[in-house]
Amino acid sequence: MEAIALVKLLEERGNLLRRPQSGALGDGLFELRGKEVRIFYVFMPGRAIVLLDGEIKKRDAIPRRTLERMRSLQAALMRRAAARGGQGTER
């Protein structure tokens, strides 16, 4: 339920959402922050938000391997978007 509430909040507030619910991780990667979950996302052209992945929080700090995986997913998404002329969210 917490994850759904966070995503709805992101949908309502978009890039105006700030801490404590959202945090910038640098280079266009963001994190939705709950007490029990974290969800990683990026903004795309056309006011689109792409949720990359989420996890159950086991500690406050983001594990290095998780952050590396999110950066890899972000890079793959950006490559796909560039190949499609900047959209990247269509299937």
Side-chain angles (χ1 to χ4, degrees), residues 46-60:
R47 299 177 44 100
I49 301 167
V50 177
L51 304 179
L52 298 175
D53 202 354
E55 67 181 16
I56 303 295
K57 283 173 75 172
K58 296 180 181 163
R59 56 184 124 148
D60 281 337

Side-chain angles (χ1 to χ4, degrees), residues 10 40-44 48-53 77 87-89:
L10 177 62
F40 300 93
Y41 66 97
V42 296
F43 291 101
M44 299 295 290
I49 301 167
V50 177
L51 304 179
L52 298 175
D53 202 354
L77 177 67
Q87 297 303 313
T89 56

